[in-house]
Amino acid sequence: MKYINAKFLLPDALVKELQHYIQGGYLYIPTDQTQQKRWGEKSGYRQELQQRNCRIRAARRQGASLEHLAEQYCLSIHAIRKIIYQK
């Protein structure tokens, strides 16, 4: 997490009001739950995993064995099964 100096971000009146409650410390402001993103959405990794899982399902439909898929994608056979049978 990157810290930002409140003097550069907030109006002076708000900074003075905050100084009544905390001086020289760190204040964590949580994200709004309605705007919070799910894991991997910000970095794009969630989408990468979905694409990989689609490739795994397609390869299985074309006859690839579980063992081959597990080796190719560096996953366990159990993980490959979970991906294939996922709804």
Side-chain angles (χ1 to χ4, degrees), residues 35-47 50:
Q35 296 179 7
Q36 189 171 9
K37 294 186 178 191
R38 292 171 41 193
W39 174 88
E41 287 181 345
K42 188 174 180 181
S43 68
Y45 192 61
R46 177 178 290 275
Q47 186 176 0
Q50 288 174 345

Side-chain angles (χ1 to χ4, degrees), residues 8-74:
F8 301 127
L9 183 67
L10 304 173
D12 289 338
L14 184 54
V15 172
K16 292 213 180 289
E17 183 66 26
L18 287 170
Q19 285 173 336
H20 289 289
Y21 298 96
I22 186 169
Q23 293 237 0
Y26 297 110
L27 179 65
Y28 173 75
I29 301 171
T31 59
D32 182 5
Q33 293 297 324
T34 60
Q35 296 179 7
Q36 189 171 9
K37 294 186 178 191
R38 292 171 41 193
W39 174 88
E41 287 181 345
K42 188 174 180 181
S43 68
Y45 192 61
R46 177 178 290 275
Q47 186 176 0
E48 286 180 41
L49 288 179
Q50 288 174 345
Q51 291 171 353
R52 179 204 66 185
N53 293 350
C54 286
R55 288 192 305 270
I56 289 172
R57 285 188 209 100
R60 180 63 177 162
R61 281 193 299 271
Q62 293 175 358
S65 69
L66 295 176
E67 293 80 9
H68 173 74
L69 291 171
E71 186 176 321
Q72 181 180 356
Y73 289 97
C74 300

